[in-house]
Amino acid sequence: MTDKGAVAGALDGLTVIDASRVLGGPYCGQILADHGARVIKIEPPQGDETRHWGPPFHGDAASYFIGLNRNKQGIALDFSTQEGRDVLAALLERADVFIENFKTGTLEKWGLGRAELQRRFPALVHCRVSGFGEDGPYGGRPGYDAAIQAQVGLMSVNGEPGGKPTRMGIPVVDMVTGLNAAVGVLLALQERTKSGQGQFVEAALYDCGVSLLHPHLPNYYLGGGLPKLAGNAHPNITPYDTYACKDGDLFLAVGNNGQFAKLCQSLGIPEAAADPRYATNALRKEHRPELRALLEGALSAWAVNEVAERLVTSGVPCAPVRTIDQVVDDPHTHARGMIVDLPDGYRGTASPIKLERTPATYRKSPPSFAGDTDAVAQDFGLADGDLAGAFIRKP
């Protein structure tokens, strides 16, 4: 899918300074950029470290960086110098949003702490992505996705029975923190239309990780005890797990008695729906081992894709367990516009947010290091004068 940007996005006219690195902050910036904001990414002299997190590489950037920074203009500044900080202040003078993930106290050391930013730029929405927030026993500590998964208990609910707690295979905490940061920015911008004032927005990995513990925290709050490792099985619902077919695994997500009856009918075991052991979800959960044996006995005669199609078209939620290449090749992935291709060879994953009149647009590949220096300096009136030399030029 290639979008030539003929339609102005929902955030057209918004200017965002993205001085964040790695994942959560850049992902927030890309969300805003996809929907029309002008996002200027500021990298340190050595570049965002994810530029080097490869292979694979395209140009001067690893795939990790490429996946988080499209639709942005790229410049580089050295904030350890007064000139670099002065350029940042000049950019913020005309910005609506400032995204950063500096360690607590860094901006204060540079004379651009929260209070100073609010004094100098009262309409600015200042968004910080942090590990643990500013306060509390862990306030100010750096945070990393996998370590947060361990610390907030996400690993304790992920793994096979009898195995060890396992990190989830995607940086889920970083991603949801970026999403929550974008939501927070939009909330603050909406409130600004009434008050005329910006505000500080913080999305902390620790908080976002804790927020993901559904339904395990609600279960625990009601006395359900500590969850045990259950593999792909749902802690509350049965059958809600992977089941072996003739040539692969099928995930069943049967959430009510009607769906269970349809499942049994479609698999040629209608008597199971009438079995008192399986009459309710609570009873099915109690008799999980017997039900698994029954279902896998019936599924063993079926190819996974064939039975998945049969079941889902009968009203039974399910899906074959697939690999990444199968997802990329799926016609539905393309029909939903989830693959972005640009003329310069960029390929990326599209925004999942679908707006009818002002859809996301894909206007620019991720920037090369300091690749937009001249354009940004010119547009902000910084191409000449004392601050022109503060920009780090593309090697």
Side-chain angles (χ1 to χ4, degrees):
M1 172 185 172
T2 300
D3 192 321
K4 301 185 186 308
V7 177
L11 300 179
D12 182 49
L14 199 73
T15 298
V16 178
I17 306 301
D18 179 2
S20 64
R21 307 180 334 278
V22 188
L23 204 164
Y27 186 47
C28 170
Q30 182 169 279
I31 292 169
L32 304 178
D34 282 351
H35 289 275
R38 181 185 189 182
V39 178
I40 299 169
K41 181 177 177 67
I42 304 177
E43 297 183 60
Q46 68 274 20
D48 186 321
E49 49 262 55
T50 61
R51 282 191 180 275
H52 313 293
W53 287 8
F57 290 94
H58 181 73
D60 67 356
S63 57
Y64 208 104
F65 177 91
I66 291 170
L68 299 164
N69 289 287
R70 70 165 167 249
N71 284 335
K72 301 179 185 180
Q73 294 180 288
I75 65 172
L77 294 171
D78 184 354
F79 291 141
S80 69
T81 68
Q82 185 61 51
E83 292 79 9
R85 298 192 293 272
D86 287 344
V87 170
L88 173 61
L91 297 175
L92 294 178
E93 185 72 43
R94 292 171 53 183
D96 299 283
V97 179
F98 177 39
I99 305 170
E100 50 91 1
N101 58 355
F102 297 114
K103 292 179 181 178
T104 300
T106 300
L107 284 175
E108 283 74 14
K109 180 181 68 175
W110 292 338
L112 291 170
R114 282 175 56 186
E116 180 65 10
L117 288 175
Q118 289 173 350
R119 184 188 70 79
R120 294 177 63 177
F121 316 111
L124 182 70
V125 172
H126 173 194
C127 176
R128 175 174 297 161
V129 173
S130 68
F132 293 89
E134 289 185 336
D135 53 6
Y138 309 144
R141 293 182 182 179
Y144 302 90
D145 180 275
I148 297 291
Q149 287 193 37
Q151 190 160 5
V152 304
L154 285 169
M155 283 177 57
S156 79
V157 300
N158 189 52
E160 292 298 321
K164 293 185 177 181
T166 304
R167 178 184 71 86
M168 296 175 190
I170 59 170
V172 60
V173 176
D174 277 333
M175 297 293 282
V176 80
T177 303
L179 285 167
N180 282 332
V183 171
V185 166
L186 297 176
L187 292 171
L189 289 170
Q190 168 62 20
E191 193 279 335
R192 190 179 71 168
T193 64
K194 296 179 288 186
S195 68
Q197 300 293 306
Q199 60 181 296
F200 181 67
V201 175
E202 185 173 52
L205 273 68
Y206 186 88
D207 303 349
C208 294
V210 172
S211 77
L212 285 169
L213 286 166
H214 184 85
H216 303 289
L217 278 178
N219 290 346
Y220 181 73
Y221 297 152
L222 291 183
L226 294 177
K228 298 178 181 178
L229 292 177
N232 292 319
H234 195 286
N236 295 55
I237 309 170
T238 302
Y240 205 105
D241 201 347
T242 48
Y243 297 83
C245 299
K246 183 167 60 177
D247 63 347
D249 288 338
L250 176 76
F251 196 97
L252 291 173
V254 176
N256 58 54
N257 292 340
Q259 291 172 355
F260 182 68
K262 291 177 183 177
L263 170 67
C264 296
Q265 183 69 37
S266 297
L267 293 181
I269 50 173
E271 66 279 2
D275 190 318
R277 293 176 298 174
Y278 312 135
T280 67
N281 177 70
L283 289 168
R284 290 193 290 273
K285 182 178 176 182
E286 183 180 343
H287 295 282
R288 268 180 172 164
E290 306 99 288
L291 181 56
R292 170 174 286 280
L294 176 67
L295 292 174
E296 291 195 324
L299 288 166
S300 65
W302 291 87
V304 63
N305 288 330
E306 184 181 1
V307 74
E309 187 67 16
R310 175 181 175 86
L311 292 174
V312 78
T313 55
S314 299
V316 180
C318 68
V321 178
R322 300 196 302 177
T323 54
I324 296 295
D325 57 330
Q326 292 172 318
V327 177
V328 172
D329 292 338
D330 193 312
H332 194 72
T333 303
H334 292 269
R336 294 295 297 166
M338 287 307 299
I339 305 294
V340 176
D341 287 307
L342 296 180
D344 62 2
Y346 168 85
R347 168 166 276 199
T349 306
S351 171
I353 304 167
K354 304 291 197 285
L355 296 180
E356 180 183 14
R357 291 187 297 100
T358 55
T361 58
Y362 310 104
R363 310 171 301 280
K364 185 178 183 299
S365 297
S368 60
F369 180 71
D372 298 292
T373 301
D374 291 338
V376 171
Q378 188 70 41
D379 288 351
F380 282 80
L382 301 171
D384 302 305
D386 295 339
L387 298 182
F391 290 94
I392 296 170
R393 297 284 166 170
K394 185 177 179 180

